[in-house]
Amino acid sequence: MGHEYVAAHRAYRQLASRLSQAGFPVLRFDFYGCGDSAGDTSHGSIGRWLEDVATAAAELRKRADIAKLALVGLRLGGSVAMMAGAQRGDIDAIALWDPVIDGKSYLQELTNAHRQMLREHYPQRDTNGAEEAATEILGFPLTELMAAELLDVNLLALKQKPANRTLLIESHHEAACKRLIEHFQSVNAACDFKEIPGPQIWKEDMNRVLVPSPILDAVVSWLSGVYR
């Protein structure tokens, strides 16, 4: 979402191209209120984005006449993919790239980044007011609805299997990833884990974002192995 969504655009486009070249029918789409999709940025919500996944899945199945469907998501996009899979029950495979496992920690991380930006560029402002609720994150609106939905994100609380097979890619050490792997085992979802060091592109200057080719290649290779 927000800055992270924009910073990841190039990597997503490259990934879609590589998957297409590998022979996969691919649909890359913007969530409601993001990118080229309809709606204002302030109108986006996780609930609506789950509906977008359903719409995109139906469209791809219609266009490509496929029986099996795989989802790929980075950060919050990975969280939405996993939530959608658990909700739907018909997703064959999911590739998760540094997914947001706990929404509360994620929201705090975004808030801290926003306050750091204010301290660096607007040092005269008091950015430490604990009672002041954040309404903006790095130039993008944060609505009360979105903040509440983020607080409810907890991948470890999902009771249903999100997909038959999953790939979890970790580009930087995250203690919660181990718990997520254990969670997959508890719901009988096969999980492959890969630790591939790479830039945290969601934190990069949007004019200097590098494409993490090893990670993109790992996703393509894994999906090729699953479906070949």
Side-chain angles (χ1 to χ4, degrees), residues 15 17 28 32 54 73 83 100 125 130 137 145 153 163 175 194 226:
L15 177 59
S17 177
R28 180 175 59 88
Y32 185 83
M83 293 164 66
V100 170
R125 291 187 52 176
I137 297 293
L145 173 60
V153 171
K194 293 183 181 295
V226 166

Side-chain angles (χ1 to χ4, degrees), residues 54-68:
T55 300
E59 183 68 18
L60 183 57
R61 280 184 164 145
K62 176 183 176 182
R63 293 190 180 196
D65 190 26
I66 55 175
K68 295 183 178 180

Side-chain angles (χ1 to χ4, degrees), residues 105-217:
S105 298
Y106 176 63
L107 184 57
Q108 186 60 57
E109 179 184 341
L110 293 178
T111 301
N112 290 343
H114 181 73
R115 289 176 176 169
Q116 179 62 30
M117 182 272 293
L118 291 179
R119 283 193 291 268
E120 291 178 357
H121 297 281
Y122 304 97
Q124 69 278 12
R125 291 187 52 176
D126 178 12
T127 61
N128 295 313
E131 55 273 351
E132 181 181 350
T135 58
E136 176 187 339
I137 297 293
L138 299 174
F140 294 86
L142 177 67
T143 64
E144 291 185 10
L145 173 60
M146 178 59 78
E149 287 184 321
L150 287 175
L151 291 175
D152 284 339
V153 171
N154 181 4
L155 300 188
L156 302 180
L158 296 177
K159 302 300 183 182
Q160 302 299 321
K161 179 170 66 173
N164 294 324
R165 287 157 287 194
T166 57
L167 170 66
L168 176 59
I169 293 179
E170 180 185 48
S171 67
H172 64 292
H173 181 67
E174 174 62 59
C177 275
K178 181 179 179 180
R179 296 197 298 272
L180 184 58
I181 294 173
E182 294 171 349
H183 174 72
F184 283 131
Q185 296 171 343
S186 73
V187 295
N188 297 316
C191 178
D192 294 315
F193 173 72
K194 293 183 181 295
E195 185 175 358
I196 306 175
Q200 294 177 285
I201 61 173
W202 55 91
K203 292 183 177 181
E204 299 291 330
D205 183 324
M206 288 177 284
N207 296 315
R208 296 185 299 170
V209 174
L210 299 175
V211 174
S213 288
I215 293 177
L216 303 189
D217 291 341

